[in-house]
Amino acid sequence: MSGSVLIRVVSYLSRTSQFLQPNKTKCVNIRRPFTAKLQGEGQIRPLDGVKVLDLTRVLAGPFATMILGDLGAEVIKVERPGSGDETRAWGPPFVGEESAYFLSVNRNKKSIAVNLKDPKGTKLVTELAKVCDVLVENYLPGKLNEMGLGYEELSKVAPQLIYCSITGYGQTGPESHKPGYDSIASAVSGMMHITGPEDGDPVRPGVAMTDLATGLYTQGAVMAALLQQQKTGRGLHIDCNLLSSQVACLTHIAANYLNAGIEARRWGTAHGSIVPYQGFKTKDGYLVVAAGNDQQFMKVCKVLNMNDLAESPKYKSNKLRVQHRKELLQILSERFMQETTGEWLRRFEGTGVPCGPINNIQQVFANPQVAHNGLILEMDHPTSGRIAVPGPAVRYSSFESSKPMPPPVIGQHTVQVLRDTLGYSEDAINQLLASRTVTQNKVQ
């Protein structure tokens, strides 16, 4: 071990030693600090040594646990034997036997196939909870309690466990019994009300933004809970839900109503408080221009060769431009239609006015900045062959993401986890396989 690494380890142990003194806290069963595998200078990932028991399906939960896996956590995904995660069947398109949907949010995970209707299956999950740091689930409130796998039950045998629940509406309250679906939560939370053409119907966002926002909140909450766990030695219960996540993301729209009584409306690509700040149709596509202040508006007029607009008393300030929105946008729209998107981008280059094309997905992944940012992640899948998915959104200076594990096939790691994580004997594993409590995929 190099001197610098040794200094860091000693410093880390000295910081955490206060949590290991029995007379400093009344907590019992205090966990040792996470054991991280040293991967060379500067290559310790934040969650190396952390075990996550993943009882989630579909999108919000798997998205969150995938990010935890990207950061080094060992994620053990518990699936239903036979069908597994519902999104495995959400196609076309399929890549081999796996749906592209499932492949997009399940890298860096091990899959074990366990029958939770079998008492031996729930016992197995309980044993995994005892050796894991985090459990993430997205069952209806009370469902896992019926199986003996609720927070109250597991916290008794695994007091260190961070138990994170993802639901549609929360653990309690008048709508807590309802299942959580992105489209419904998007509607109930007001997200659809503010999304769509100005004079058109409400529109569902092109991706499940409510699910994804909940996944991001979940990942952040788990990271905070891990810090709390290090301070106290104990776990806690986290309540994440689709409704709360999306309402919290209403930000200024919510504040406009709560403080000024202003009801929101749909604006298409436009902004309710800034003009011009929207998409414009060009000769061959669309361009978004965002003039956030008066100086930028003057620059827009200069690029368009319409300096008279900048000098007009009706458009001198943003407040006036909002007041005369319709006639100003009509004039700008007619001008933008006269040139191609590429020509407008060339003219705006270097002016300081924020602008960009509305790309289709092919254009997105042809963008050199997208490639430079590592957003095309390729892996060799055991049955689907070479696959590509969106890569991690965040980069870190002190470590790089190691070679990612491809998304697993159902039950690919059942025997491995039983043997290596729980220490089951070959005879015990064979008995579970024979009784169909667990299943092992032929791909290992």
Side-chain angles (χ1 to χ4, degrees):
M1 181 180 295
S2 71
S4 62
V5 173
L6 180 59
I7 290 171
R8 289 203 305 274
V9 172
V10 171
S11 174
Y12 176 74
L13 291 176
S14 67
R15 293 197 311 273
T16 58
S17 63
Q18 60 179 307
F19 309 128
L20 304 178
Q21 300 298 323
N23 60 352
K24 293 286 186 179
T25 176
K26 295 181 180 180
C27 296
V28 297
N29 194 27
I30 293 181
R31 302 267 286 177
R32 54 172 172 71
F34 304 137
T35 55
K37 183 186 295 183
L38 299 182
Q39 301 177 2
E41 186 71 23
Q43 286 299 304
I44 299 176
R45 296 175 299 174
L47 298 186
D48 279 337
V50 175
K51 286 184 170 63
V52 176
L53 186 56
D54 184 0
L55 300 181
T56 68
R57 303 93 62 207
V58 189
L59 184 55
F63 186 58
T65 56
M66 180 181 70
I67 299 172
L68 298 174
D70 287 342
L71 294 175
E74 178 186 356
V75 180
I76 301 171
K77 182 179 178 71
V78 178
E79 298 193 73
R80 184 188 304 113
S83 57
D85 190 316
E86 290 93 316
T87 60
R88 289 184 182 273
W90 285 12
F94 292 93
V95 186
E97 298 179 357
E98 299 289 353
S99 73
Y101 197 118
F102 177 84
L103 295 175
S104 71
V105 289
N106 282 287
R107 65 176 175 269
N108 288 323
K109 300 178 185 180
K110 298 176 180 178
S111 171
I112 63 172
V114 183
N115 180 7
L116 294 183
K117 295 181 179 180
D118 184 335
K120 295 192 293 292
T122 56
K123 178 176 180 291
L124 189 157
V125 171
T126 299
E127 292 181 11
L128 282 171
K130 292 179 181 179
V131 298
C132 286
D133 302 282
V134 179
L135 182 152
V136 187
E137 58 90 8
N138 62 350
Y139 284 75
L140 278 171
K143 186 66 175 178
L144 288 182
N145 297 66
E146 297 172 3
M147 303 180 192
L149 298 175
Y151 172 68
E152 296 298 330
E153 294 85 356
L154 291 185
S155 63
K156 294 176 183 177
V157 296
Q160 87 291 340
L161 187 68
I162 294 166
Y163 192 110
C164 181
S165 298
I166 302 173
T167 59
Y169 302 92
Q171 292 296 304
T172 59
E175 296 187 330
S176 61
H177 64 285
K178 295 181 179 180
Y181 294 95
D182 172 88
S183 58
I184 307 302
S186 179
V188 173
S189 68
M191 176 68 162
M192 282 193 190
H193 175 70
I194 61 174
T195 304
E198 182 176 352
D199 298 317
D201 295 329
V203 170
R204 176 184 177 273
V207 293
M209 286 308 304
T210 302
D211 265 344
L212 296 173
T214 305
L216 290 171
Y217 268 115
T218 298
Q219 180 259 335
V222 168
M223 296 294 282
L226 286 168
L227 291 174
Q228 179 79 347
Q229 184 197 61
Q230 285 294 288
K231 295 177 181 179
T232 66
R234 299 190 66 89
L236 71 163
H237 191 196
I238 300 171
D239 175 6
C240 290
N241 65 82
L242 304 184
L243 177 65
S244 295
S245 296
Q246 189 57 72
V247 171
C249 287
L250 292 178
T251 57
H252 70 282
I253 297 296
N256 289 349
Y257 172 76
L258 294 173
N259 295 284
I262 298 175
E263 178 57 81
R265 53 174 292 187
R266 290 180 288 284
W267 289 105
T269 65
H271 194 292
S273 302
I274 309 172
V275 175
Y277 199 106
Q278 66 178 73
F280 293 94
K281 187 172 178 57
T282 67
K283 186 180 287 188
D284 63 348
Y286 293 88
L287 178 77
V288 173
V289 175
N293 56 53
D294 296 338
Q295 291 72 30
Q296 288 179 344
F297 175 67
M298 293 175 66
K299 292 177 181 178
V300 169
C301 294
K302 183 176 181 180
V303 170
L304 300 182
N305 293 323
M306 304 180 77
N307 291 326
D308 55 318
L309 285 180
E311 297 168 0
S312 171
K314 292 191 296 185
Y315 310 132
K316 280 288 188 182
S317 69
N318 181 69
K319 182 178 180 180
L320 290 169
R321 292 193 293 275
V322 170
Q323 184 178 341
H324 299 282
R325 173 192 297 268
K326 286 194 174 182
E327 63 180 81
L328 174 59
L329 292 179
Q330 179 65 32
I331 295 170
L332 295 177
S333 295
E334 291 176 0
R335 180 70 180 101
F336 276 111
M337 280 286 290
Q338 295 173 7
E339 304 289 350
T340 65
T341 300
E343 175 61 20
W344 285 126
L345 289 172
R346 186 189 67 78
R347 294 189 185 189
F348 275 108
E349 184 70 28
T351 64
V353 176
C355 66
I358 297 181
N359 286 331
N360 61 31
I361 305 306
Q362 180 183 20
Q363 291 167 328
V364 169
F365 288 103
N367 186 311
Q369 189 65 48
V370 169
H372 173 81
N373 288 357
L375 294 173
I376 304 173
L377 186 61
E378 295 186 331
M379 295 168 284
D380 290 315
H381 188 272
T383 61
S384 299
R386 193 69 171 171
I387 64 170
V389 298
V394 181
R395 289 183 171 187
Y396 301 86
S397 63
S398 63
F399 71 94
E400 295 181 5
S401 297
S402 61
K403 184 178 180 182
M405 288 173 51
V409 296
I410 301 172
Q412 180 179 347
H413 304 93
T414 300
V415 169
Q416 177 190 337
V417 170
L418 293 178
R419 181 185 62 238
D420 299 342
T421 304
L422 293 179
Y424 278 28
S425 67
E426 291 299 322
D427 286 344
I429 293 173
N430 288 334
Q431 289 176 16
L432 289 171
L433 291 170
S435 66
R436 306 295 292 176
T437 301
V438 301
T439 59
Q440 168 67 46
N441 197 290
K442 62 182 179 180
V443 175
Q444 298 187 34

